[in-house]
């Protein structure tokens, strides 16, 4: 069955282009041009992914996002943000968006992000395999062990938990706040810099070049994305 994408965007030219292209890729596309009817359509169900503009009449994309999440919808939300609006990205991810692309976006990039989100959404949450491999690295979740080229990589429990979380959410931007909440459980003494420090350690252990990371990629102003 084709996946249905709900496009909430008020710019007619973009609605036309996106609808055309997405339908060409085999998706079913429904569009709404303001935030209010967008929320309504999203909550009516049967939507596999929401493509959401931020600047919308009646309700902003942030508000749409919040409302949809509050109502319990788990549909992946991909936000369309304006170039250089890092604040938008941060707020977007905080309100429950899964990822974003920056306007004007590259169509291939957008399609790849859509595909990644749909793939992740259709895999059951607990379905992380016992062993996950990327490059010469192996994460064995049964033994809570990481190997590189067959050799165990020593790491702290926290580093391991951080890596496991990133890997389990591969292809998605994960904010520092989310990592603090999910991996550190918001211990009051933990600063968001701690996340960066731990990521740095993981990179030194896992990346061929920690300065040019291939697996744990920085998403400027937001957080990290595991690209394995
Ligand atoms: Ca707009």
């Amino acid at each position: 069955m084709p996946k249905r994408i709900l496009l909430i965007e008020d710019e007619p030219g973009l609605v036309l282009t996106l609808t055309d292209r997405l339908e060409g890729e085999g998706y079913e596309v429904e569009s709404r041009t303001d935030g209010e009817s967008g929320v309504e359509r999203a909550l009516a169900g049967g939507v596999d992914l929401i493509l959401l503009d931020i600047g919308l009449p009646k309700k902003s994309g942030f508000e749409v996002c919040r409302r949809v999440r509050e109502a319990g919808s788990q549909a992946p939300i991909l936000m369309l943000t304006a170039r250089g609006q890092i604040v938008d990205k941060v707020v977007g991810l905080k309100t429950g968006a899964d990822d974003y692309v920056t306007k004007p976006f590259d169509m291939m990039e957008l399609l790849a992000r859509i595909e990644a989100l749909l793939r992740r959404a259709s895999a059951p949450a607990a379905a992380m395999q016992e062993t996950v491999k990327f490059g010469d690295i192996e994460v064995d979740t049964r033994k809570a062990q990481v190997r590189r080229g067959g050799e165990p990589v020593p790491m702290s429990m926290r580093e391991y938990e951080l890596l496991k979380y990133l890997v389990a959410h591969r292809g998605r931007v994960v904010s520092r706040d989310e990592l603090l909440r999910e991996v550190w459980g918001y211990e009051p003494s933990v600063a968001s810099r701690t996340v960066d420090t731990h990521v740095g350690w993981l990179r030194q252990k896992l990346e061929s070049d920690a300065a040019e990371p291939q697996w744990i990629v920085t998403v400027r102003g937001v957080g990290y994305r595991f690209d394995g």
Side-chain angles (χ1 to χ4, degrees), residues 60-71 77 91 95-96:
S60 78
F62 298 134
E63 231 183 309
V64 171
C65 201
R66 202 172 297 122
R67 288 277 306 278
V68 168
R69 286 297 179 248
E70 275 169 8
I77 297 177
V91 174
T95 53

Side-chain angles (χ1 to χ4, degrees), residues 79-190:
M79 272 196 166
L80 307 172
T81 71
R83 183 198 287 278
Q85 296 295 304
I86 284 174
V87 173
D88 282 359
K89 295 164 193 171
V90 176
V91 174
L93 294 171
K94 273 190 183 155
T95 53
D98 295 279
D99 203 354
Y100 62 85
V101 288
T102 306
K103 282 181 182 177
F105 47 81
D106 174 57
M107 196 58 91
M108 294 315 285
E109 164 91 13
L110 179 73
L111 291 172
R113 294 253 165 273
I114 288 176
E115 215 177 287
L117 285 175
L118 286 172
R119 203 175 326 122
R120 186 167 61 80
S122 61
M128 185 161 160
Q129 299 122 315
E130 286 190 347
T131 316
V132 179
K133 289 182 189 161
F134 49 100
D136 62 347
I137 296 154
E138 228 179 293
V139 181
D140 184 336
T141 58
R142 213 163 23 90
K143 294 187 189 159
Q145 198 187 57
V146 180
R147 287 183 293 270
R148 185 173 183 183
E151 295 295 315
V153 180
M155 57 176 70
S156 70
M157 205 55 204
R158 195 72 85 185
E159 286 168 335
Y160 172 74
E161 291 297 332
L162 173 62
L163 176 65
K164 203 172 87 172
Y165 192 84
L166 288 168
V167 170
H169 298 87
R170 55 170 68 190
R172 172 162 85 84
V173 183
V174 178
S175 69
R176 286 181 183 79
D177 270 2
E178 178 176 345
L179 289 169
L180 279 175
R181 191 176 61 236
E182 301 295 331
V183 178
W184 274 265
Y186 270 137
E187 290 165 25
S189 59
V190 177

Side-chain angles (χ1 to χ4, degrees), residues 9-10 53 55-56 103:
E9 165 66 65
D10 61 328
D53 184 31
L56 287 168
K103 282 181 182 177

